[in-house]
Amino acid sequence: MDVLVIGAGMVGAACAYHCAAAGLRVTVLDRGGVATGTTSGGEGNILVSDKEPGPELDLALLSVRRWRILGERIGADRLELEHKGGVVVARSAPALAGLADLTGRQRACGVDAVDVTAGDLPALEPNLTRDVTGGAHYPQDMQVQPMLAAAALLRAARDLGATVHTGTEVRGFLFGRDGAVTGVRAGSGDRAAGWVVNAAGTWGGEVADLAGAPLPVLPRKGFVLVTEPLPRVIRHKVYTADYVAGVASDDAGLETSVVVEGTRAGTVLIGASRERVGFDRRMSLPVIRELAAQAIGLFPFLADVTLLRTYLGFRPYCPDHLPVIGPDPRVPGLVHACGHEGAGIGLSAATGHLIAQTLTGATPDLDLAPFRPERFAA
Amino acid sequence: MTTFSFDGEEVTAEPGQSVGAALLAAGYRSWRTTRHGGAPRGLFCGIGVCFDCLVVVNGRPGLRACLTEVRDGDVVSSQEGAGRDHLAC
Amino acid sequence: MTTSPADIAVIGAGPAGLAAAAAARGRGARVALLDSAGRPGGQYWRHRDGHNPIPASLRQDILAGHAVWHVEVEADGFVLHTTAGEVRARTVIVATGAYDRQLPFPGWTLPGVFTAGGAQAMLKGHGVPVGDRVVVAGTGPFLLPVAAALRHRVTGVFEAGSPLGFARHPLAVARNPGKLVEGARYLRALHGHRIPFHTRTAVVAAHGDDRVHAVTVARLDRNRRPVSEREIECDAVAVGYGFTPQLELPLQLGCDTRLDADGSLVATADEWQRASVPGVYLAGEVCGVGGAQLSVVEGAIAGAHAAGARPRRSLLRKRAALRAFAAAMHDTYRVGAGRPADDTIVCRCEEVTVREVRESVVDLGATDPRGVKLLARPGMGLCQGRVCGYATACLVAEACGRPVTAADLRGLAARPIAAPVTLGNLAEGVEDA
Ligand SMILES: Cc1cc2nc3c(=O)[nH]c(=O)nc-3n(C[C@H](O)[C@H](O)[C@H](O)COP(=O)(O)OP(=O)(O)OC[C@H]3O[C@@H](n4cnc5c(N)ncnc54)[C@H](O)[C@@H]3O)c2cc1C
Ligand SMILES: Cc1cc2nc3c(=O)[nH]c(=O)nc-3n(C[C@H](O)[C@H](O)[C@H](O)COP(=O)(O)OP(=O)(O)OC[C@H]3O[C@@H](n4cnc5c(N)ncnc54)[C@H](O)[C@@H]3O)c2cc1C
Ligand code: FES
């Protein structure tokens, strides 16, 4: 076998699909089921809007292009891929000034960002609060249903000859005399592979440890609220300008900057909080109250809408908030594709594409240096 | 006797009855259509578990007819889909 | 509204909760008895006019209209978040009961098809029969009181199992002579109203356009496969295959659960009705389906022990006998998963079909009900899998070629929000809303 992917989440699925499509023989192992890790605990926003110019924005722009291609190849319906665009709302003069500055810099990088006035917003989002100062419209922002998208990509990979083994935990690595990885030790036995891709998401650090190549991937907890099903009441992904600050923050404490969006199923998703509290699965009422309050602030009609359920997940984050993508020079044969924090769904398409390019010896569309695994060593 | 209207028709109920029980007694079997299939639905579990009996009472959609006690003069109407089409955009 | 902390909060004012509250109060504890319903009594006591089984001493403790949507564990007790405000208590007794369990069949979503309990609730609670020609179907002794109450309006009772199975459990029956008398009384009542009682027969389809007008019933062979079918006209169906315990609060609290003999997920209680979580007691059908009498006995044990007293030995003996009978009942009325056709709707809320459930296993690689729920949406709608959870778990396990596990059912029974609450109510108290 050429490539063994650890993790059947969104990122592992995208790696498996792109590698299989590039003609490699692929096996995917996951200790759980298909897409039952963080991929089932988050949302499916594919955003360029929330990113500052830099390597992550470059990756996001590539990913948006790759998601379009995936939509054409696999079927937008099977991914619930929607080109709905994003709307960012500023609710004070300083926030609007900050947003205008950001959109200007984003445009210089190729982002389609349109500044809009308070008067333009009701046409974009009829149910939005009128208490706004202005905003920005990002037509490139999209959305998928993450579990469906991951399962559909794995399905497509299987059609291209890949095999997927769920309920199979990787417990160690096999090494050759030269110290290079030659396979893994899995619950079901040893498996040889030319390349092993670590797509274990939030557990990517643990897997890297098994190979003797530590990576600082840590959990950042987040809650999402789900409302009763409604007709289409929200057209875009809508969030406040404070969101960008929350995403990039280094604060360990709780942050909630709400993103509100409709889904094909009719439910409205309200996400998401950010907290560094380890793998604490407990429900936190103060957090969900805060998310509810902020969502009502954006869309007052939500006050009368019923909360159906809440769920949570643990984003895989690295200290510099960038993912780890590419071969690990410390352990030949080991390749990483993990640590995508709150953007792993969006960034997965580009990640899988770049990994396939690397493993087939092609020149990657993007310089992988900012994402290199050894950058943390010091 | 309690009197209320259902989709414009006058219906009588015994005091303390739920909207669902009163509609059932008056011969109605369904007062809602589903969001996807547009299929008719009415009471099923009778105790608030299944959410099949949704109805609009005095303009409020999404109420469970089996749990909502009927009051004199209530204006009750069928619910189409999610019952919030006025918000659709 | 925030009341001062109670010693004991009892959630659910059915037979179990009422008995628990009475026992605890009788031993001097300050009790808050909460129920989402507007009146106490649970699914069993639906006093319409006049006779009220609620002891006068308890009436002041009852908080009606308090649906508990979330329970939080704190250092010195529990906070119950209800639709009518917060209630604090040092100890909680969860007595939230059960609701009818369903196995989907084509046409079960037609108006006029009711749960057996729903038909009973309409009649006992509101004085409204669900129809004039009612087919009563499913499995278990509960079908008998439902049919007996509807009397001449019943076209036939179709029991998928056979009460003859009790013959395999002579001891359990002998310890509960009252149950035998009760069963015989119901059968006599059916006979008196000339209601045919068929065993090993199931409703396999309901027919109609906008309401049910007929059903197909089938004899079942030893492997529960339909062998001979016939159509029966009717204007209502009352169907139930046992009961599903209402477990969201025990699961929120982190209580251990297990698979019971009837295939239901139940919360695990020790000999004093304590859950695995300190300060939490369980009583009634949340810890195993066994009828109102058993619920009362378990409630009395839980209430006494929670109030610091030693429950009477006679109660423990009675519980043992009633549980033995319940076990014999579960063995007698075993519930198969059924093999509904591909286009049968499983999830009524999201209108998910059997085919979509099977495809998410076969095509998309899901390996458990939670995975299927995330891919095909059964259990994602308004009822949050309360109605389709059991059937979905059975279908997924079958598609995966293995038996249903407790983990399968847990994956569909965990609900962090146990009762509907609006975002506005949720956000109350947050500044700058
Ligand atoms: C609340 C919240 C909201 C979010 N919203 C968004 C959003 O809108 N847009 C977006 O792009 N991202 C979002 N995210 C982030 C996104 O969910 C993650 O970045 C993404 O799911 C990570 O995918 P993954 O495949 O790397 O990890 P996972 O989905 O966690 O997959 C890793 C897999 O590895 C398996 N595994 C681990 N260790 C082993 C082992 N030893 N052996 C075998 N298998 C193993 C696990 O079982 C798991 O299935 C959100 C996250 C959260 C929590
Ligand atoms: C619809 C129905 C009708 C039935 N009719 C009969 C009958 O006629 N005869 C018979 O012998 N058996 C009947 N049964 C069986 C019956 O459930 C049991 O025998 C008996 O009632 C069990 O008692 P319990 O106290 O354990 O639970 P229940 O009687 O079910 O009481 C549970 C109580 O908890 C409350 N509750 C649940 N969740 C919450 C929450 N989150 N917050 C606040 N309150 C909550 C409910 O409102 C309910 O009042 C019926 C069952 C059902 C489902
Ligand atoms: S009939 Fe089931 S909720 Fe009303």
Side-chain angles (χ1 to χ4, degrees), chain C residues 75-341:
Chain C
D76 54 349
F78 302 87
V79 188
L80 314 185
H81 298 273
T82 87
T83 47
E86 276 175 23
V87 175
R88 285 167 187 275
R90 263 178 283 283
T91 302
V92 287
I93 301 178
V94 183
T96 46
Y99 51 84
D100 293 83
R101 182 163 62 176
Q102 295 300 324
L103 298 179
F105 53 87
W108 74 305
T109 53
L110 279 173
V113 178
F114 301 85
T115 67
Q120 187 77 334
M122 283 304 127
L123 190 62
K124 276 170 71 179
H126 300 274
V128 184
V130 290
D132 292 322
R133 283 165 303 138
V134 187
V135 162
V136 177
T139 199
F142 180 54
L143 300 183
L144 297 177
V146 172
L150 283 163
R151 295 183 305 200
H152 60 277
R153 299 173 193 274
V154 177
T155 299
V157 180
F158 301 92
E159 161 63 65
S162 161
L164 293 178
F166 273 117
R168 292 195 298 271
H169 304 277
L171 283 179
V173 176
R175 284 170 83 181
N176 296 273
K179 294 275 187 189
L180 209 59
V181 174
E182 195 185 332
R185 183 161 49 85
Y186 285 131
L187 285 173
R188 251 197 329 275
L190 297 194
H191 189 73
H193 292 289
R194 299 182 195 292
I195 302 169
F197 178 67
H198 306 269
T199 57
R200 296 188 202 288
T201 311
V203 166
V204 294
H207 313 285
D209 295 324
D210 56 0
R211 59 168 72 188
V212 65
H213 66 66
V215 293
T216 301
V217 297
R219 284 276 301 164
L220 304 177
D221 70 9
R222 295 207 161 279
N223 299 315
R224 291 184 164 266
R225 274 190 301 255
V227 280
S228 63
E229 299 190 345
R230 67 189 162 108
E231 217 172 281
I232 294 177
E233 281 190 21
C234 63
D235 64 355
V237 181
V239 59
Y241 283 85
F243 294 92
T244 297
Q246 190 119 3
L247 286 189
E248 34 279 297
L249 299 180
L251 287 171
Q252 285 179 8
L253 287 160
C255 299
D256 287 349
T257 51
R258 65 182 172 85
L259 211 54
D260 204 3
D262 61 350
S264 284
L265 190 71
V266 301
T268 315
D270 72 3
E271 62 170 328
W272 308 119
Q273 300 296 135
R274 281 178 303 199
S276 60
V277 174
V280 179
Y281 286 76
L282 306 158
E285 310 223 292
V286 274
C287 41
V289 171
Q293 258 180 296
L294 178 58
S295 288
V296 167
V297 173
E298 290 183 349
I301 295 171
H305 198 271
R310 201 179 170 81
R312 288 196 314 274
R313 276 187 170 284
S314 59
L315 281 175
L316 304 185
R317 273 199 304 276
K318 218 158 148 189
R319 183 182 60 187
L322 288 164
R323 282 206 182 143
F325 187 84
M329 172 179 88
H330 295 325
D331 186 53
T332 300
Y333 299 101
R334 281 186 178 281
V335 173
R339 290 203 99 254

Side-chain angles (χ1 to χ4, degrees), chain A residues 6-12 29-33 36-39 41-46 168-170 199-203 207 210 220 222-224 272 313-316 337 340-347:
Chain A
I6 306 172
M10 188 68 248
V11 175
L29 305 185
D30 198 298
R31 63 181 173 198
T36 49
T38 308
T39 296
E43 295 170 86
N45 298 314
I46 301 172
T168 308
E169 183 169 23
V170 171
T202 315
W203 303 272
V207 167
L210 294 176
R220 197 177 186 191
F223 280 99
V224 178
F314 300 95
R315 305 174 187 84
H340 293 74
E341 195 159 344
I345 308 305
L347 301 179

Side-chain angles (χ1 to χ4, degrees), chain B residues 14-18 20-22 24-25 27-30 32 34-52 54 60 64 66, chain C residues 43 46 48 98-99 102 108-109 111-115 117-118 121-122 126 128-131 209-211 235 246 345 348-351 382-383 386-387 420 422:
Chain B
E14 286 178 32
Q17 267 182 342
S18 68
L24 183 65
Y28 296 100
R29 284 294 178 279
S30 60
R32 170 174 96 88
T34 56
R35 287 179 296 123
H36 304 301
R41 296 281 174 87
L43 292 171
F44 180 59
C45 75
I47 58 166
V49 169
C50 73
F51 291 78
D52 243 355
L54 302 181
R60 243 192 102 186
R64 284 168 285 177
C66 65
Chain C
Q43 304 308 348
R46 299 178 186 278
R48 287 196 69 219
Y99 51 84
Q102 295 300 324
W108 74 305
T109 53
V113 178
F114 301 85
T115 67
M122 283 304 127
H126 300 274
V128 184
V130 290
D209 295 324
D210 56 0
R211 59 168 72 188
D235 64 355
Q246 190 119 3
I345 286 178
R348 303 169 66 93
C349 299
E350 296 295 290
E351 302 177 273
L382 280 172
C383 94
R386 287 173 173 91
V387 177
T422 62

